[in-house]
Amino acid sequence: MRISQLMSKQVVSITPEESAALAARLLARHDLGLLPVCAQDGALVGVVTDRDIVVRCLAAGAEPSRVPVADIMSPAPHTAQPEEPAEDALRRMARLQVRRLPVVEQGQVVGMVSLGDLARSRRYEMESAKALGEISANVRRHRR
């Protein structure tokens, strides 16, 4: 099975110049865990998560409405390709300890794939559960 068969094609993104406050509102409004950060030409330049906003903005004492996303995003994110085998993306997500990957084709974000998307496919249910378990265990170890 290919990523294109499992990915979400409706992508909400943000530009690097927009504020961390707007990123937080978009994450909350759309119930997302990650926003692709795209340049004006649509090229993926980074990703921002709710954790990025908390750790790199709020915990640093900055005002989210005055902090551009470019200052808190993670640059050069890992991605998936639409025609990539789902098994490859799943293994990479487990190895990288990430739950979501932007799906990029010719430099443009065309979708998002998550462990949940893979788990909903009965074919990858066990592997997704294992990957999520590994990610969650690793997060708990790092927070102690």
Side-chain angles (χ1 to χ4, degrees):
M1 187 166 286
R2 303 284 177 205
I3 290 295
S4 61
Q5 296 170 284
L6 301 171
M7 70 183 192
S8 170
K9 294 177 183 167
Q10 294 183 349
V11 179
V12 177
S13 65
I14 193 164
T15 65
E17 300 80 23
E18 292 177 294
S19 73
L22 176 58
R25 287 193 301 274
L26 288 171
L27 287 165
R29 182 179 307 136
H30 297 283
D31 193 26
L32 301 170
L34 177 144
L35 282 176
V37 181
C38 298
Q40 295 297 332
D41 65 359
L44 181 68
V45 296
V47 293
V48 66
T49 66
D50 50 0
R51 188 170 194 284
D52 292 330
I53 295 166
V54 170
V55 173
R56 297 177 182 165
C57 183
L58 295 174
E63 171 57 44
S65 64
R66 294 190 174 134
V67 175
V69 168
D71 290 357
I72 62 167
M73 71 181 190
S74 298
H78 297 280
T79 63
Q81 301 292 315
E83 294 309 309
E84 176 179 356
E87 301 91 8
D88 293 353
L90 181 57
R91 280 193 291 272
R92 190 165 58 259
M93 291 166 86
R95 179 176 43 82
L96 297 170
Q97 302 290 299
V98 298
R99 297 175 189 207
R100 296 164 195 86
L101 290 174
V103 181
V104 177
E105 186 172 45
Q106 298 178 348
Q108 306 289 306
V109 178
V110 296
M112 292 290 294
V113 67
S114 70
L115 285 178
D117 296 329
L118 295 166
R120 279 189 286 283
S121 167
R122 294 272 184 222
R123 185 172 179 185
Y124 303 109
E125 192 170 5
M126 294 293 289
E127 293 91 340
S128 298
K130 182 180 176 199
L132 182 58
E134 290 172 8
I135 292 168
S136 297
N138 196 352
V139 168
R140 284 191 297 275
R141 280 192 294 268
H142 281 86
R143 289 188 178 162
R144 290 184 185 167

